[in-house]
């Protein structure tokens, strides 16, 4: 499953953001920050990773649909991504 350049750029941005958030979590743990704060940030990292994965899947699905029908799909990539997020 190939991912378009626009989708890949969005995925990389989300992964870089998650990488920064994860570095922040590590720093929080090293600094002895409150457990609640650490868990909240870990949840944010997890959501960022999930969204990156969903973006990849949505983009791949769109390309598969275009390949099968040979025409523009009835749903946009953003709509496919939203559907996947609703299932999560």
């Amino acid at each position: 499953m190939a991912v378009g350049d626009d989708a890949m750029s969005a995925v990389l941005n989300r992964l870089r953001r998650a990488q920064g958030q994860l570095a922040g979590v590590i720093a929080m743990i090293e600094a002895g920050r409150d457990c609640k704060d650490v868990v909240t940030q870990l949840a944010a990292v997890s959501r960022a990773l999930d969204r990156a994965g969903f973006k990849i899947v949505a983009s791949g699905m769109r390309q598969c649909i275009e390949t099968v029908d040979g025409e523009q799909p009835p749903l946009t990539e953003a709509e496919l991504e939203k559907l996947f997020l609703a299932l999560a």
Side-chain angles (χ1 to χ4, degrees):
M1 163 171 34
V3 178
D5 290 341
D6 291 341
M8 185 57 66
S9 178
V11 167
L12 288 172
N13 286 339
R14 288 177 181 176
L15 290 174
R16 287 183 184 106
R17 190 175 313 129
Q19 184 179 31
Q21 289 173 315
L22 185 56
V25 170
I26 292 169
M28 290 172 72
I29 292 171
E30 290 174 343
R33 295 278 303 269
D34 184 57
C35 178
K36 178 183 166 206
D37 295 336
V38 171
V39 170
T40 299
Q41 287 304 310
L42 277 174
V45 172
S46 179
R47 283 190 304 273
L49 292 174
D50 288 343
R51 290 187 64 84
F54 289 135
K55 182 71 172 177
I56 291 170
V57 171
S59 177
M61 278 190 60
R62 181 168 187 215
Q63 290 179 359
C64 288
I65 291 170
E66 287 175 347
T67 300
V68 171
D69 295 339
E71 299 178 6
Q72 280 296 98
L75 296 175
T76 66
E77 184 176 324
E79 291 168 329
L80 286 170
E81 183 180 5
K82 186 175 180 178
L83 288 174
F84 267 90
L85 291 172
L87 294 173

